[in-house]
Amino acid sequence: AQKVTQAQTEISVVEKEDVTLDCVYETRDTTYYLFWYKQPPSGELVFLIRRNSFDEQNEISGRYSWNFQKSTSSFNFTITASQVVDSAVYFCALPSESSYKLIFGSGTRLLVRP
Amino acid sequence: EAQVTQNPRYLITVTGKKLTVTCSQNMNHEYMSWYRQDPGLGLRQIYYSMNVEVTDKGDVPEGYKVSRKEKRNFPLILESPSPNQTSLYFCASSFEGNDSPLHFGNGTRLTVT
């Protein structure tokens, strides 16, 4: 069965620290996409990134970077030099094999303290 | 601006009083979907639509109805709301289903008393 596991329920860091959010997934698909979404305190869900399982190169976007490793079924998200505005719940997600929906992890709440 | 618009943002109602949450997208997306988010249960899909007049049940469709008469609109209807439908609801759309990024509306926080 498909599954997305975000084992870190909550992480608290001080501003300017680097932080990594873990995501481990299970799927029988041989090709698939993976996603990260952000839910800030205001409540909306914001798309951050989509990666194809063919491409294991790290992706960097400003202070954000993503490390995809097919061998360990992980798709981790690192924020470098964290800022208070990064405080949010972050969700990792995987498309369902059998239906038209995303399977979301339970989310990691990140608190960045000034 | 490309967006998914949900209304209302907040709604408090009483048990049994029919309500509709509207959802509209301006990106010409084929796929639209409704999710609810509850503490401890995460995000769960209610219904989805692959195109006009094509809708299908998600994981938790009981007590909800949807329609897709136009490509841009995908309203969520609660014919007889109950307290267990108190939740945060999100409408989402994407270009073509699972592999495309989902664009979410701002959410509707519904309280049924």
Side-chain angles (χ1 to χ4, degrees):
Chain A
Q2 288 182 294
K3 197 174 175 182
V4 177
T5 301
Q6 294 180 257
Q8 303 150 308
T9 307
E10 193 164 319
I11 301 175
S12 180
V13 299
V14 176
E15 206 169 18
K16 296 183 186 171
E17 281 185 27
D18 298 347
V19 58
T20 295
L21 310 182
D22 297 332
C23 172
V24 174
Y25 62 91
E26 295 173 29
T27 183
R28 289 171 299 186
D29 280 344
T30 53
T31 62
Y32 46 89
Y33 286 95
L34 291 160
F35 298 85
W36 275 93
Y37 288 85
K38 174 182 180 179
Q39 188 173 35
S42 49
E44 70 272 24
L45 282 159
V46 179
F47 163 73
L48 293 178
I49 190 172
R50 178 185 74 168
R51 289 309 298 265
N52 189 314
S53 58
F54 279 123
D55 185 0
E56 289 198 58
Q57 280 200 331
N58 285 352
E59 175 103 10
I60 298 174
S61 176
R63 295 183 298 105
Y64 294 175
S65 63
W66 289 268
N67 177 252
F68 171 50
Q69 291 195 340
K70 206 167 180 179
S71 59
T72 56
S73 297
S74 66
F75 185 40
N76 297 338
F77 173 30
T78 298
I79 302 175
T80 303
S82 59
Q83 299 176 2
V84 172
V85 293
D86 296 327
S87 296
V89 180
Y90 292 87
F91 293 94
C92 182
L94 172 73
S96 170
E97 295 164 1
S98 56
S99 180
Y100 292 97
K101 68 177 181 183
L102 282 183
I103 296 169
F104 287 88
S106 54
T108 296
R109 183 178 299 276
L110 174 64
L111 175 63
V112 181
R113 294 171 280 127
Chain B
E1 181 192 347
Q3 59 185 1
V4 178
T5 304
Q6 267 181 256
N7 279 299
R9 193 78 195 269
Y10 300 92
L11 180 58
I12 301 173
T13 190
V14 295
T15 299
K17 186 176 181 183
K18 180 179 178 180
L19 67 91
T20 299
V21 183
T22 63
C23 175
S24 181
Q25 50 94 5
N26 62 1
M27 295 169 278
N28 202 36
H29 283 166
E30 302 283 334
Y31 174 89
M32 296 186 76
S33 184
W34 279 100
Y35 285 80
R36 61 178 286 176
Q37 184 179 28
D38 302 286
L41 296 173
L43 283 148
R44 295 178 292 169
Q45 188 188 55
I46 303 170
Y47 268 96
Y48 67 93
S49 169
M50 293 301 295
N51 212 326
V52 175
E53 303 293 1
V54 180
T55 64
D56 210 343
K57 296 177 181 177
D59 296 320
V60 288
E62 296 78 22
Y64 304 95
K65 281 175 58 176
V66 292
S67 68
R68 189 96 181 269
K69 295 181 179 143
E70 306 161 284
K71 199 171 189 178
R72 61 185 293 124
N73 295 325
F74 191 46
L76 180 70
I77 302 156
L78 285 72
E79 295 269 2
S80 182
S82 61
N84 65 11
Q85 293 178 298
T86 292
S87 187
L88 178 58
Y89 291 88
F90 288 101
C91 180
S93 72
S94 73
F95 181 60
E96 56 177 8
N98 265 5
D99 292 340
S100 303
L102 276 178
H103 298 261
F104 285 89
N106 284 339
T108 296
R109 190 167 289 283
L110 172 65
T111 302
V112 183
T113 61

